[in-house]
Amino acid sequence: MPTETPIVNHFSWTIGGPQGTGVDSSANLLLRSCAVAGLYCYGKREYHSTIKTGHSYTQVRVSGIPISSHVDPVHLLTTYEKTAAKIHADEVVTGGAIIYDPGVISADDLNCQDGVLKIAVPYDEILDKLAEEMGQPAAKVKIMKNTLAVGATLAMVNFDMAYIEKALSGLFKGRKAKLVPDNMLAIRKGFEYIQAMQMNGSSVVDQFPYKLEAQPDSPAQMIMSGTTAVALGKLKAGCKMQTYYPITPASDESVYLESQQKEYGINVVQCEDEIASVCMAVGAALTGTRSATSTSCPGFGLKAEGIGWAAMNEVPVVIHDYQRGGPSTGLPTRHEQGDLLSAVFISHGNPPRMVVAPSDMNEYFEDTFHAFNYADQYQTPVIVLTDKCIGNNTMTITPFSEEGLKINRGKLATQDELDRLASLKPELKGQFPRFGDSDDGVSMRSVLGQANGIYWNTGDERDAYGHITEDPDNRQVLMNKRLRKMATAIAEIPESQQFQLYGPKDADTTILTWGSTKGPILDAMPQLLSDGFKFNVLVVRLMSPYPVEGVSRILSKAKTKIGFEMNHTHQLAQLTRMETGFSMDHFINKFTGRPISETEAASAIREIMSSTTTSKKEVVLSYGK
Amino acid sequence: MPTETPIVNHFSWTIGGPQGTGVDSSANLLLRSCAVAGLYCYGKREYHSTIKTGHSYTQVRVSGIPISSHVDPVHLLTTYEKTAAKIHADEVVTGGAIIYDPGVISADDLNCQDGVLKIAVPYDEILDKLAEEMGQPAAKVKIMKNTLAVGATLAMVNFDMAYIEKALSGLFKGRKAKLVPDNMLAIRKGFEYIQAMQMNGSSVVDQFPYKLEAQPDSPAQMIMSGTTAVALGKLKAGCKMQTYYPITPASDESVYLESQQKEYGINVVQCEDEIASVCMAVGAALTGTRSATSTSCPGFGLKAEGIGWAAMNEVPVVIHDYQRGGPSTGLPTRHEQGDLLSAVFISHGNPPRMVVAPSDMNEYFEDTFHAFNYADQYQTPVIVLTDKCIGNNTMTITPFSEEGLKINRGKLATQDELDRLASLKPELKGQFPRFGDSDDGVSMRSVLGQANGIYWNTGDERDAYGHITEDPDNRQVLMNKRLRKMATAIAEIPESQQFQLYGPKDADTTILTWGSTKGPILDAMPQLLSDGFKFNVLVVRLMSPYPVEGVSRILSKAKTKIGFEMNHTHQLAQLTRMETGFSMDHFINKFTGRPISETEAASAIREIMSSTTTSKKEVVLSYGK
Amino acid sequence: MASNTATPTMAKPMAKDYKSDVVSDWCAGCGDFGIVAAVQGVYAELGIPNHQIISYSGVGCSSKSPHLMHTYGVHTLHGRSIPFSTGTALANPDVKVVVTGGDGDGYGIGAGHFLHAGRRNVNMTYLVYNNEVYGLTKGQASPTLAYGEQPKSLAVPNPNDKVDPLALAVNAGYTFVARSYAYNRTHLMATIKRAMEHRGMAIVDILQPCPTYNNLHTKEWYGEEVEMSGANYPRVYDIEAEGYNGMVQNPADAEEVNRKEIAALTKIRTHEDRVAIGVFWQIEKPTFMDRLTMTNPKLGDTPTYKMVIADADGNPTTDLSATYAEFLTTS
Amino acid sequence: MASNTATPTMAKPMAKDYKSDVVSDWCAGCGDFGIVAAVQGVYAELGIPNHQIISYSGVGCSSKSPHLMHTYGVHTLHGRSIPFSTGTALANPDVKVVVTGGDGDGYGIGAGHFLHAGRRNVNMTYLVYNNEVYGLTKGQASPTLAYGEQPKSLAVPNPNDKVDPLALAVNAGYTFVARSYAYNRTHLMATIKRAMEHRGMAIVDILQPCPTYNNLHTKEWYGEEVEMSGANYPRVYDIEAEGYNGMVQNPADAEEVNRKEIAALTKIRTHEDRVAIGVFWQIEKPTFMDRLTMTNPKLGDTPTYKMVIADADGNPTTDLSATYAEFLTTS
Ligand SMILES: Cc1ncc(C[n+]2csc(CCOP(=O)(O)OP(=O)(O)O)c2C)c(N)n1
Ligand SMILES: Cc1ncc(C[n+]2csc(CCOP(=O)(O)OP(=O)(O)O)c2C)c(N)n1
Ligand code: SF4
Ligand code: SF4
Ligand SMILES: [Mg+2]
Ligand SMILES: [Mg+2]
């Protein structure tokens, strides 16, 4: 008794369970299956700061058009144990369905809305039978509950099995390829079980309105998560030294790079702590090797002194901070954008600090690439503020474009130049005025080991050769020189790399945002615009030096300004007021440690834009488990 | 031939020489002599980041009225070796004088202005003779050149010898008392030599217009430097645990406290690094012991993670940062106010951070005292931003007032309260909801070891008992709770402890400043006001939470706003714009590593206030060696 | 203000009296469970009132232990448990400070503090759960993993040599240095108890299988027998059962101290196929509090947490007048 | 880009060829002068081109040494010279990395890095100027000052035990461990030279009188004779001159390694009135680069500083297409 017309390629699915029981791989398999079928996907991962026992889940959104956020309603909840069924049942929309194991929870215990299909899948029974058919011990087969669950799920949405098989062979390659047939068996069992299932006299599949149809003509996509996108950006930029100390969620990037060492020659070194990591990267950078280090909040703070030294010695080095819930250890596996101001003002005494904040997966790749250029061009550390949301989530994206990506090493002295200079002044005996003043604040740089490039580095104030001096006049010259680079940078960096404006340029309302919060806003935008809410979205991408001119130009046109970010004090709004004088009239915020959905973004923007200016200063969102 | 009418009790004197040759003790002796004579003194110390070889000097300003800055003109330069004479000769005003040793430099080599008296003092000769008289080896007596120099100096200004003797016995006490007679002999020799000296037919003393007259009726003063003032504030506040790692200029405070352990029972622990220092202080604070740690810039950055943890666990602890020239190692023995924003935004993820910035010696004492109350009342780390200028300089001040200094330990649970609560809920078995929500954001606090007060601390987000939870709703409650304390604090802290306004309230021009920069501005104010430059001075004392309301009230009345501070990017102006939206129209700045003099302050304010608004955006000062 | 009224001592406390209501989130089969149970058992044996125990830790799987204890808990920062807990031990010597943490936490990022703690000999107990990996961050090599080894969680074999925590502890000045094994409950409890009864800085390095990431040194591996000159012996053996005695009888006897220390280092550094457990080194030396009190006698009279700093009206009780006098110009 | 064109080797370099134009700002009589002169002398003997030497340091009096050297200089942060210099040594193995620094810098705030460096065995030379004080911050106790000692700069006697850097270095995995003395130029130069010729992580702890703050262990004190069983001997003596040999002949021979290591620790930890100098321990082991190259062979072909990352037009030369393919849905 099909109750609704099918809703095609608009599907939100949750799978949950204890960490380490295969939730991730089920989600990956589903996502990949849909992606190879030409659909667009966004997978939001939530997990506890534990290894195996915390409850984790992934919510996969599948769409016929590109997306970059999740939505709150769940259409299908797939579970194979009790906890997930308990926790997530109430998230399923009327008309949706729950797949559950009647062996561990009864239908009555599913605390869900009316009109939700409760679909019992007797996992043990099905797998016991499969084990028998395969002639294998039941225990070995039973670990495939999560795979079976994917099969059941895909049957519900009428998915074409061919894509699953393709996805599976994409996932299990090389030595793992031998796992494909068994898993396909389990998937088929789940698929067939659901296909055959009747409830109240009709096929359950027919009673479920959400369907997925392959879009074979879609352009190719990449399935990507943020830590990998950054790693690829580093490889492309020619980064050859990566140091790290394990920390969630940053270390995924380094572990991935470790696996790529053989291929690309990058040297990945696990250090004794984050202080050593930044210092070691700087020591490598001094040789001319492009060098980087990656960490998360607590580890980032420990790098302050090293970053200050690098700024003082004008060393190009790239530092990624994957923001997570703070303060302190905080919510180590949850999302927040809480580090902006502590990054922009890290380390004492006015060092020049560059801070870049990419806001989508492609920018994770590109801005990482650019960061190495900035570092070389302006000879200063570049901090890249990433976050757990894009860092850990998995989604389909337009393949990275390498169009126009050029490597710019800035004023790196060639051996010929050094030799020529040395021959002009033999009395210098190969010493080189590395820190000489210059109009743009950037001096020519030799690297350790280069003949005729000898100079000294020191954390102290220095003369042109790098020797300590406390002379007050020299001090003033060098302070000016170092900070002048920030002006040079903002003048040279293309505006599109400084900020971006989305939506109608002439809108009276501007939403100011950054980082991963962009995704849900842009996803919500078309519907809101067509509903008559006219606004544009200003996404700041370069945080230091701040794009004062460009941002002011845009904000000066806005009658209503809404700050939309995910940290308690609205740090981008704070920074923007400091830099431009413009204040936000309203705020949309969320600091539960969970990312913002398109659903939430849409309703918050509606709420703010519907209310009179005085009525609602701030909307604080809090949906999600 | 006295050329001028005497200028009484307005005297600026420089003494210089290699570090470790007695420059400091000469300056101390002179300063103390003048102070016991009822005069007001300000001693500016400049020294290199070396132990014995760098050139150091102290400039002592003596005045008939209270002062809190130096002036640029030097009236008398006293030297006993070559370098100081070379370096400082050109700073002496016409009509002033230079005392030099003709054995090491000739009068012609003194590169000074016309009309400067060049007074040759043959140190070796005089001391050789003295040695003979005393029947002591010449080598032993010759180390008193610096003492002799003080005698010569005081003869020039007609000083009353009785005060010197009194000062000397104040300096050399106990085991050192036996040094007094020998030193007095050397002083007398210098004094008499100058008294007897004739030049161009008249007494040199008569040719020198600057004179000091005792003011025996002046109220008693304290001779104080900032590190000691802070130490005394800690002792008064009942701080019983001080941790540190050696660093200039902060460690003077800890070394002084070490010497006071026997008397006051404070436990001073030298740690292995600054990370350990902050953690150890926090560990002690958790027992209810008032605890503190002191450091300077590079060490401060290393404390970020510990400060964040303390904020997260609502632990009262006080952290002093003595600012010096940055970035990085920077100018370790020079002055700058470069740490404001890195302190206000230290540590990731929006921890509540309190930052206090005292601006004179008495506030160094008081704000240190208050800081422990704030820490207890708002249960959060309190950072006190001090600086090298006040920290290392020595001056006469009104004795510390203890009027109204009360110790407030905030919501510290008594044993009775805990026992009562426990008897109401025996099922808790002595556990206590330490982090329960409350209207003002502050919860009742038990301390480690208290019966019936059991709770847990963690860097992670926690429930009321301190156990880790990743629950999103609880997270929102606790983020709000922690940051609500900042609102409570700004509502409760008396406005006079938040900021101060000096000068005519109805002036159209307001100078915004903080920290030691206040001194020269206030010293320059009376003359400027009487010359028709009408302005007032807003000194911000509480930086976080920022006194938004009070500062806005004042700035909204100002037609012209001048930011006056000592760091390249005008960090207080930046912070003020972020917090209030008010921008400065002009800036006065200095970042040579040398403090601002009254002379400079006066001329810069004149320059800005004389020019039309468009003509001069910023005056960057640079006087001083 | 913060007086420690002793709760009536429990009649005969049981291990469960030291269990909090928190359910552990460790993986099934984790060696950590046994260690926590052993610690709770020792607390019961010693009968210490709950509120007089301060359970400290750093960050890691193991460092969640304090939450499982019905005692005060301080779960600090990664690598910093030692300086934090030192602050507490110095400010309140009336409580028992017990630090638990991982090998990465203690010997990795915390190595500097680990060393310097030995120099101080603060009176506390440090229990290190040694699983050779960074558990909570998904199994990277910790500093105790040997060169060239590759547990399943590593992309490449470990390029670093391992540290030897016991040898370092002896050299650094720890006055009680032992090793035990998570699954030898009797030995573990006895060793922890001896560590807690020791006056000074005691460390017990506890071999802890991590079934999730360390597939090299599992419970099974530790349980194996090894062949030595033809005969089979249990892999894990107790040095004291074989007659070794690491305790210095007379700390004033320089010759004995010298000899015993070298014997301890020899025992520790002798590489063998078996795994030695037991107390390798123990000596009585003045604790840090003893030493501080020598130059600050007030500390000996009243620990800082008990020092009175204000009267009932909040007036500071510290009288600075004598000190002020040194700075006053009229003096 | 950053190619190392060798400058024509100087005919016969002299120590003065390694002196920069900077005038030292150390106190007269400081032991540091002799150490720097010795290092310059060794450079001359080895004849290394100036630009191929990288002089690293931390922060302290001693750490100003690089400025006195006519070589590349990197004066880093207090306590962090080792991780910085490790980065350089890994990225450019064609240069000679020599680290100088203080005892406070290396064994105090830097203790963690000091230990972990041993685990890596990076090919470099570490010279620690050991004056038992924090010189540049006015003479506080450094970690090598013994318990109870009170040089004139201390307000109270030192409450901390001292660390034993040599024992720690052996345990941590340093492959060349020596001590020398600032005023024994011959021994000092010979030892530094051996350290620099050693392949792997070498440390020389150099006893350095600080006449300004350390009035206990002065040049005179080191120069004294001590009485032993009736006869007088120089306080500072060379263990190798007395027949000790700390070098492992066959690193593959586990028995020899074991025996020699225990002998070294015994020698180091034996407390005596005299002060022993010499090479206590030396062994050939794979360096960190050797180990990294095993899993990353490209590193062995081309050090990272030489890897080409762009063509002449700035186009990246790294081709990611094979990797992209793994993520592409069409693959
Ligand atoms: C400053 C900092 N760096 C890194 C981390 C991430 N981190 C959390 S636990 C851990 C390692 C834990 O390993 P170990 O101490 O051996 O404990 P185990 O989990 O193995 O019990 C790390 C690196 C952190 N929390 N803080
Ligand atoms: C992070 C940090 N903490 C503290 C200091 C201050 N500081 C400078 S030198 C020094 C100690 C130097 O002692 P040592 O390393 O033994 O060298 P020495 O001066 O004795 O040669 C200290 C603590 C600093 N520069 N940075
Ligand atoms: S990862 Fe290892 S150490 Fe951590 S809880 Fe699981 S088994 Fe235990
Ligand atoms: S203080 Fe000591 S170590 Fe520093 S330069 Fe002077 S004598 Fe040398
Ligand atoms: Mg571990
Ligand atoms: Mg030293």
Side-chain angles (χ1 to χ4, degrees), chain A residues 305, chain B residues 245-246 274, chain D residues 61-62 78 102-105 131 133-137:
Chain A
E305 207 193 355
Chain B
Y245 184 72
E274 288 89 351
Chain D
C61 294
S62 42
H78 188 47
D103 46 350
D105 188 82
N131 58 8
V133 291
Y134 286 118
L136 193 55
T137 49

Side-chain angles (χ1 to χ4, degrees), chain B residues 51, chain D residues 25-32 61 131 135-136 208-213:
Chain B
I51 294 304
Chain D
D25 56 18
W26 290 321
C27 311
C30 177
D32 292 356
C61 294
N131 58 8
L136 193 55
Q208 174 245 317
C210 162
T212 300
Y213 295 118

Side-chain angles (χ1 to χ4, degrees), chain A residues 314 379 411-412 432-438 440-445 481 485:
Chain A
E314 315 202 24
Q379 298 181 2
K411 298 191 187 173
L412 197 53
F432 174 70
R434 158 84 184 92
F435 300 107
D437 196 15
S438 71
D440 58 2
V442 186
S443 322
M444 214 207 284
R445 167 165 101 97
K481 167 187 146 59
K485 293 193 285 187

